[in-house]
mmCIF file of all heavy atoms in Angstrom:
data_model
loop_
_atom_site.group_PDB
_atom_site.id
_atom_site.type_symbol
_atom_site.label_atom_id
_atom_site.label_comp_id
_atom_site.label_asym_id
_atom_site.label_seq_id
_atom_site.Cartn_x
_atom_site.Cartn_y
_atom_site.Cartn_z
ATOM 1 N N ILE Y 1 0.847 -1.309 -0.068
ATOM 2 C CA ILE Y 1 -0.007 -0.009 0.016
ATOM 3 C C ILE Y 1 0.899 1.244 0.084
ATOM 4 O O ILE Y 1 0.349 2.307 -0.351
ATOM 5 C CB ILE Y 1 -1.018 -0.049 1.206
ATOM 6 C CG1 ILE Y 1 -2.214 0.795 0.901
ATOM 7 C CG2 ILE Y 1 -0.418 0.303 2.469
ATOM 8 C CD1 ILE Y 1 -3.185 0.084 0.011
ATOM 9 N N ASP Y 2 2.161 1.093 0.463
ATOM 10 C CA ASP Y 2 3.037 2.203 0.487
ATOM 11 C C ASP Y 2 3.563 2.577 -0.869
ATOM 12 O O ASP Y 2 4.221 3.698 -1.089
ATOM 13 C CB ASP Y 2 4.245 2.019 1.385
ATOM 14 C CG ASP Y 2 4.976 0.733 0.870
ATOM 15 O OD1 ASP Y 2 4.362 -0.300 0.553
ATOM 16 O OD2 ASP Y 2 6.281 0.705 0.903
ATOM 17 N N LEU Y 3 3.353 1.842 -2.020
ATOM 18 C CA LEU Y 3 3.956 2.132 -3.262
ATOM 19 C C LEU Y 3 3.075 3.271 -3.931
ATOM 20 O O LEU Y 3 1.838 3.301 -3.753
ATOM 21 C CB LEU Y 3 3.862 0.976 -4.374
ATOM 22 C CG LEU Y 3 4.672 -0.246 -4.014
ATOM 23 C CD1 LEU Y 3 4.488 -1.300 -4.889
ATOM 24 C CD2 LEU Y 3 6.204 0.188 -3.865
ATOM 25 N N PRO Y 4 3.766 4.275 -4.704
ATOM 26 C CA PRO Y 4 3.033 5.234 -5.301
ATOM 27 C C PRO Y 4 2.003 4.778 -6.248
ATOM 28 O O PRO Y 4 0.982 5.503 -6.555
ATOM 29 C CB PRO Y 4 4.148 6.022 -6.079
ATOM 30 C CG PRO Y 4 5.490 5.565 -5.652
ATOM 31 C CD PRO Y 4 5.220 4.243 -4.972
ATOM 32 N N ALA Y 5 2.240 3.637 -6.828
ATOM 33 C CA ALA Y 5 1.247 3.100 -7.829
ATOM 34 C C ALA Y 5 0.080 2.302 -7.416
ATOM 35 O O ALA Y 5 -0.728 1.733 -8.053
ATOM 36 C CB ALA Y 5 2.055 2.214 -8.862
ATOM 37 N N ALA Y 6 -0.030 2.224 -5.937
ATOM 38 C CA ALA Y 6 -1.079 1.438 -5.328
ATOM 39 C C ALA Y 6 -2.408 2.085 -5.525
ATOM 40 O O ALA Y 6 -2.590 3.321 -5.444
ATOM 41 C CB ALA Y 6 -0.656 1.371 -3.814
ATOM 42 N N GLU Y 7 -3.327 1.205 -5.972
ATOM 43 C CA GLU Y 7 -4.724 1.618 -6.121
ATOM 44 C C GLU Y 7 -5.656 0.792 -5.381
ATOM 45 O O GLU Y 7 -6.276 -0.108 -6.049
ATOM 46 C CB GLU Y 7 -5.036 1.574 -7.629
ATOM 47 C CG GLU Y 7 -4.243 2.508 -8.426
ATOM 48 C CD GLU Y 7 -4.581 2.313 -9.976
ATOM 49 O OE1 GLU Y 7 -5.492 2.687 -10.330
ATOM 50 O OE2 GLU Y 7 -3.842 1.585 -10.641
ATOM 51 N N PRO Y 8 -5.746 0.973 -4.037
ATOM 52 C CA PRO Y 8 -6.514 0.080 -3.265
ATOM 53 C C PRO Y 8 -7.986 -0.189 -3.542
ATOM 54 O O PRO Y 8 -8.574 -1.155 -3.644
ATOM 55 C CB PRO Y 8 -6.408 0.599 -1.805
ATOM 56 C CG PRO Y 8 -5.800 1.908 -1.902
ATOM 57 C CD PRO Y 8 -5.092 2.024 -3.176
ATOM 58 N N ASP Y 9 -8.613 0.998 -3.994
ATOM 59 C CA ASP Y 9 -10.099 1.007 -4.301
ATOM 60 C C ASP Y 9 -10.376 0.154 -5.605
ATOM 61 O O ASP Y 9 -11.245 -0.662 -5.664
ATOM 62 C CB ASP Y 9 -10.637 2.323 -4.458
ATOM 63 C CG ASP Y 9 -10.544 3.104 -3.231
ATOM 64 O OD1 ASP Y 9 -10.659 2.572 -2.180
ATOM 65 O OD2 ASP Y 9 -10.497 4.398 -3.302
ATOM 66 N N ARG Y 10 -9.407 0.286 -6.560
ATOM 67 C CA ARG Y 10 -9.608 -0.418 -7.752
ATOM 68 C C ARG Y 10 -9.366 -1.902 -7.578
ATOM 69 O O ARG Y 10 -10.198 -2.792 -8.082
ATOM 70 C CB ARG Y 10 -8.577 0.151 -8.890
ATOM 71 C CG ARG Y 10 -8.609 -0.637 -10.208
ATOM 72 C CD ARG Y 10 -7.588 -0.134 -11.203
ATOM 73 N NE ARG Y 10 -6.233 -0.548 -10.804
ATOM 74 C CZ ARG Y 10 -5.705 -1.710 -10.969
ATOM 75 N NH1 ARG Y 10 -6.263 -2.698 -11.563
ATOM 76 N NH2 ARG Y 10 -4.401 -1.995 -10.525
ATOM 77 N N VAL Y 11 -8.405 -2.272 -6.810
ATOM 78 C CA VAL Y 11 -8.131 -3.700 -6.492
ATOM 79 C C VAL Y 11 -9.221 -4.372 -5.673
ATOM 80 O O VAL Y 11 -9.518 -5.467 -5.839
ATOM 81 C CB VAL Y 11 -6.752 -3.838 -5.780
ATOM 82 C CG1 VAL Y 11 -6.446 -5.254 -5.421
ATOM 83 C CG2 VAL Y 11 -5.699 -3.332 -6.772
ATOM 84 N N ARG Y 12 -9.836 -3.568 -4.690
ATOM 85 C CA ARG Y 12 -10.891 -3.996 -3.994
ATOM 86 C C ARG Y 12 -12.106 -4.489 -4.938
ATOM 87 O O ARG Y 12 -12.710 -5.490 -4.717
ATOM 88 C CB ARG Y 12 -11.501 -2.949 -3.009
ATOM 89 C CG ARG Y 12 -10.895 -2.948 -1.707
ATOM 90 C CD ARG Y 12 -11.756 -2.305 -0.689
ATOM 91 N NE ARG Y 12 -11.143 -2.138 0.575
ATOM 92 C CZ ARG Y 12 -10.362 -1.141 0.976
ATOM 93 N NH1 ARG Y 12 -10.095 -0.174 0.157
ATOM 94 N NH2 ARG Y 12 -9.802 -1.182 2.124
ATOM 95 N N GLU Y 13 -12.424 -3.552 -5.820
ATOM 96 C CA GLU Y 13 -13.435 -3.808 -6.783
ATOM 97 C C GLU Y 13 -13.067 -5.127 -7.652
ATOM 98 O O GLU Y 13 -13.903 -5.938 -8.029
ATOM 99 C CB GLU Y 13 -13.564 -2.654 -7.782
ATOM 100 C CG GLU Y 13 -14.544 -1.578 -7.421
ATOM 101 C CD GLU Y 13 -14.689 -0.515 -8.443
ATOM 102 O OE1 GLU Y 13 -14.641 -0.846 -9.661
ATOM 103 O OE2 GLU Y 13 -14.418 0.615 -7.981
ATOM 104 N N GLN Y 14 -11.784 -5.187 -8.112
ATOM 105 C CA GLN Y 14 -11.392 -6.344 -8.949
ATOM 106 C C GLN Y 14 -11.477 -7.655 -8.054
ATOM 107 O O GLN Y 14 -11.914 -8.644 -8.711
ATOM 108 C CB GLN Y 14 -9.950 -5.972 -9.153
ATOM 109 C CG GLN Y 14 -9.469 -6.550 -10.596
ATOM 110 C CD GLN Y 14 -8.009 -6.372 -10.756
ATOM 111 O OE1 GLN Y 14 -7.210 -6.646 -10.031
ATOM 112 N NE2 GLN Y 14 -7.696 -5.632 -11.926
ATOM 113 N N ILE Y 15 -11.253 -7.679 -6.827
ATOM 114 C CA ILE Y 15 -11.433 -8.881 -5.958
ATOM 115 C C ILE Y 15 -12.787 -9.256 -5.956
ATOM 116 O O ILE Y 15 -13.110 -10.548 -6.024
ATOM 117 C CB ILE Y 15 -10.825 -8.654 -4.532
ATOM 118 C CG1 ILE Y 15 -9.251 -8.538 -4.469
ATOM 119 C CG2 ILE Y 15 -11.285 -9.806 -3.625
ATOM 120 C CD1 ILE Y 15 -8.618 -8.046 -3.182
ATOM 121 N N GLU Y 16 -13.690 -8.376 -5.786
ATOM 122 C CA GLU Y 16 -15.179 -8.633 -5.726
ATOM 123 C C GLU Y 16 -15.583 -9.099 -7.150
ATOM 124 O O GLU Y 16 -16.329 -10.061 -7.348
ATOM 125 C CB GLU Y 16 -15.914 -7.378 -5.305
ATOM 126 C CG GLU Y 16 -15.786 -7.148 -3.802
ATOM 127 C CD GLU Y 16 -16.477 -5.882 -3.172
ATOM 128 O OE1 GLU Y 16 -17.074 -5.257 -4.043
ATOM 129 O OE2 GLU Y 16 -16.291 -5.681 -2.057
ATOM 130 N N ASP Y 17 -15.251 -8.441 -8.226
ATOM 131 C CA ASP Y 17 -15.601 -8.855 -9.557
ATOM 132 C C ASP Y 17 -15.097 -10.238 -10.006
ATOM 133 O O ASP Y 17 -15.756 -11.087 -10.517
ATOM 134 C CB ASP Y 17 -15.165 -7.868 -10.592
ATOM 135 C CG ASP Y 17 -15.915 -6.466 -10.417
ATOM 136 O OD1 ASP Y 17 -16.860 -6.567 -9.653
ATOM 137 O OD2 ASP Y 17 -15.535 -5.469 -11.111
ATOM 138 N N VAL Y 18 -13.796 -10.320 -9.923
ATOM 139 C CA VAL Y 18 -13.055 -11.502 -10.397
ATOM 140 C C VAL Y 18 -13.202 -12.771 -9.482
ATOM 141 O O VAL Y 18 -13.548 -13.830 -9.961
ATOM 142 C CB VAL Y 18 -11.622 -11.169 -10.731
ATOM 143 C CG1 VAL Y 18 -10.946 -12.386 -11.370
ATOM 144 C CG2 VAL Y 18 -11.395 -10.057 -11.688
ATOM 145 N N ILE Y 19 -13.079 -12.552 -8.204
ATOM 146 C CA ILE Y 19 -12.969 -13.647 -7.338
ATOM 147 C C ILE Y 19 -14.439 -13.892 -6.717
ATOM 148 O O ILE Y 19 -14.851 -15.053 -6.577
ATOM 149 C CB ILE Y 19 -11.989 -13.496 -6.220
ATOM 150 C CG1 ILE Y 19 -10.548 -13.420 -6.759
ATOM 151 C CG2 ILE Y 19 -12.008 -14.695 -5.233
ATOM 152 C CD1 ILE Y 19 -9.494 -13.084 -5.703
ATOM 153 N N GLY Y 20 -15.121 -12.730 -6.483
ATOM 154 C CA GLY Y 20 -16.397 -12.948 -5.916
ATOM 155 C C GLY Y 20 -16.545 -13.003 -4.354
ATOM 156 O O GLY Y 20 -17.435 -13.555 -3.843
ATOM 157 N N ILE Y 21 -15.539 -12.465 -3.640
ATOM 158 C CA ILE Y 21 -15.563 -12.461 -2.301
ATOM 159 C C ILE Y 21 -15.646 -11.003 -1.735
ATOM 160 O O ILE Y 21 -15.056 -10.194 -2.489
ATOM 161 C CB ILE Y 21 -14.414 -13.196 -1.549
ATOM 162 C CG1 ILE Y 21 -13.136 -12.662 -1.934
ATOM 163 C CG2 ILE Y 21 -14.467 -14.671 -1.830
ATOM 164 C CD1 ILE Y 21 -11.939 -13.253 -1.112
ATOM 165 N N ASP Y 22 -16.307 -10.688 -0.725
ATOM 166 C CA ASP Y 22 -16.403 -9.361 -0.133
ATOM 167 C C ASP Y 22 -15.182 -8.843 0.216
ATOM 168 O O ASP Y 22 -14.389 -9.393 1.059
ATOM 169 C CB ASP Y 22 -17.444 -9.384 0.969
ATOM 170 C CG ASP Y 22 -17.554 -8.075 1.566
ATOM 171 O OD1 ASP Y 22 -17.437 -7.025 0.843
ATOM 172 O OD2 ASP Y 22 -17.979 -7.818 2.724
ATOM 173 N N ALA Y 23 -14.775 -7.671 -0.433
ATOM 174 C CA ALA Y 23 -13.363 -7.083 -0.036
ATOM 175 C C ALA Y 23 -13.675 -5.632 0.629
ATOM 176 O O ALA Y 23 -12.648 -4.945 0.629
ATOM 177 C CB ALA Y 23 -12.631 -6.997 -1.296
ATOM 178 N N SER Y 24 -14.846 -5.403 0.916
ATOM 179 C CA SER Y 24 -15.119 -3.954 1.539
ATOM 180 C C SER Y 24 -14.218 -3.766 2.843
ATOM 181 O O SER Y 24 -13.754 -2.695 3.077
ATOM 182 C CB SER Y 24 -16.543 -3.771 1.870
ATOM 183 O OG SER Y 24 -16.944 -4.796 2.581
ATOM 184 N N GLU Y 25 -13.984 -4.801 3.485
ATOM 185 C CA GLU Y 25 -13.186 -4.802 4.786
ATOM 186 C C GLU Y 25 -11.704 -5.229 4.672
ATOM 187 O O GLU Y 25 -11.138 -5.605 5.590
ATOM 188 C CB GLU Y 25 -13.784 -5.468 5.871
ATOM 189 C CG GLU Y 25 -15.184 -4.702 6.275
ATOM 190 C CD GLU Y 25 -15.862 -5.283 7.415
ATOM 191 O OE1 GLU Y 25 -15.290 -6.095 8.187
ATOM 192 O OE2 GLU Y 25 -17.059 -4.957 7.583
ATOM 193 N N ALA Y 26 -11.254 -5.322 3.445
ATOM 194 C CA ALA Y 26 -9.820 -5.904 3.067
ATOM 195 C C ALA Y 26 -8.851 -4.893 3.869
ATOM 196 O O ALA Y 26 -9.011 -3.715 3.790
ATOM 197 C CB ALA Y 26 -9.651 -5.899 1.567
ATOM 198 N N ILE Y 27 -7.872 -5.536 4.463
ATOM 199 C CA ILE Y 27 -6.846 -4.760 5.369
ATOM 200 C C ILE Y 27 -6.001 -4.124 4.346
ATOM 201 O O ILE Y 27 -5.310 -4.816 3.454
ATOM 202 C CB ILE Y 27 -6.227 -5.647 6.307
ATOM 203 C CG1 ILE Y 27 -7.317 -6.331 7.085
ATOM 204 C CG2 ILE Y 27 -5.222 -4.929 7.249
ATOM 205 C CD1 ILE Y 27 -6.850 -7.525 7.845
ATOM 206 N N GLU Y 28 -5.630 -2.915 4.523
ATOM 207 C CA GLU Y 28 -4.570 -2.196 3.830
ATOM 208 C C GLU Y 28 -3.283 -2.334 4.550
ATOM 209 O O GLU Y 28 -3.222 -1.853 5.730
ATOM 210 C CB GLU Y 28 -4.976 -0.772 3.481
ATOM 211 C CG GLU Y 28 -6.178 -0.556 2.647
ATOM 212 C CD GLU Y 28 -6.449 0.890 2.220
ATOM 213 O OE1 GLU Y 28 -5.546 1.699 2.589
ATOM 214 O OE2 GLU Y 28 -7.476 1.175 1.540
ATOM 215 N N ALA Y 29 -2.354 -3.007 3.966
ATOM 216 C CA ALA Y 29 -1.044 -3.238 4.627
ATOM 217 C C ALA Y 29 0.227 -3.006 3.891
ATOM 218 O O ALA Y 29 0.127 -3.031 2.683
ATOM 219 C CB ALA Y 29 -1.029 -4.553 5.221
ATOM 220 N N SER Y 30 1.343 -2.908 4.507
ATOM 221 C CA SER Y 30 2.608 -2.938 3.823
ATOM 222 C C SER Y 30 3.608 -3.757 4.539
ATOM 223 O O SER Y 30 4.015 -3.462 5.603
ATOM 224 C CB SER Y 30 3.210 -1.388 3.626
ATOM 225 O OG SER Y 30 4.474 -1.477 3.251
ATOM 226 N N ALA Y 31 3.961 -4.995 3.877
ATOM 227 C CA ALA Y 31 4.733 -5.889 4.560
ATOM 228 C C ALA Y 31 6.160 -5.349 4.695
ATOM 229 O O ALA Y 31 6.870 -5.645 5.579
ATOM 230 C CB ALA Y 31 4.783 -7.201 3.839
ATOM 231 N N LYS Y 32 6.535 -4.416 3.812
ATOM 232 C CA LYS Y 32 7.854 -3.789 3.895
ATOM 233 C C LYS Y 32 8.061 -2.934 5.064
ATOM 234 O O LYS Y 32 9.111 -2.912 5.802
ATOM 235 C CB LYS Y 32 8.061 -3.054 2.487
ATOM 236 C CG LYS Y 32 9.516 -2.731 2.253
ATOM 237 C CD LYS Y 32 9.585 -2.078 0.869
ATOM 238 C CE LYS Y 32 10.962 -1.540 0.580
ATOM 239 N NZ LYS Y 32 10.901 -0.896 -0.754
ATOM 240 N N THR Y 33 7.091 -1.993 5.166
ATOM 241 C CA THR Y 33 7.199 -1.129 6.336
ATOM 242 C C THR Y 33 6.524 -1.463 7.659
ATOM 243 O O THR Y 33 6.843 -0.906 8.631
ATOM 244 C CB THR Y 33 6.460 0.346 5.953
ATOM 245 O OG1 THR Y 33 4.997 0.027 5.763
ATOM 246 C CG2 THR Y 33 7.141 0.887 4.616
ATOM 247 N N GLY Y 34 5.748 -2.591 7.627
ATOM 248 C CA GLY Y 34 5.030 -3.040 8.826
ATOM 249 C C GLY Y 34 3.755 -2.362 9.084
ATOM 250 O O GLY Y 34 3.174 -2.666 10.177
ATOM 251 N N GLN Y 35 3.240 -1.501 8.127
ATOM 252 C CA GLN Y 35 2.036 -0.879 8.313
ATOM 253 C C GLN Y 35 0.862 -1.903 8.142
ATOM 254 O O GLN Y 35 0.852 -2.911 7.372
ATOM 255 C CB GLN Y 35 1.787 0.092 7.202
ATOM 256 C CG GLN Y 35 0.417 0.826 7.190
ATOM 257 C CD GLN Y 35 0.245 1.608 5.800
ATOM 258 O OE1 GLN Y 35 1.389 2.161 5.286
ATOM 259 N NE2 GLN Y 35 -0.924 1.914 5.486
ATOM 260 N N GLY Y 36 -0.142 -1.935 9.067
ATOM 261 C CA GLY Y 36 -1.332 -2.703 9.054
ATOM 262 C C GLY Y 36 -1.075 -4.204 9.529
ATOM 263 O O GLY Y 36 -1.996 -5.018 9.494
#
């Protein structure tokens, strides 16, 4: 999520459209910085 190219809202929609699971409460995290 810390990358300048990150688009969390678009990816949330994509998870719901392509996979079909609810992603409204998907956790925003960055494994590199430890956020989330």
Side-chain angles (χ1 to χ4, degrees):
I1 207 77
D2 57 317
L3 293 180
E7 299 176 76
D9 297 332
R10 181 183 67 82
V11 175
R12 267 200 185 90
E13 270 179 48
Q14 215 178 53
I15 292 174
E16 290 179 356
D17 292 349
V18 180
I19 299 173
I21 59 171
D22 180 25
S24 56
E25 292 181 17
I27 304 156
E28 293 187 8
S30 165
K32 192 175 177 185
T33 62
Q35 179 189 334

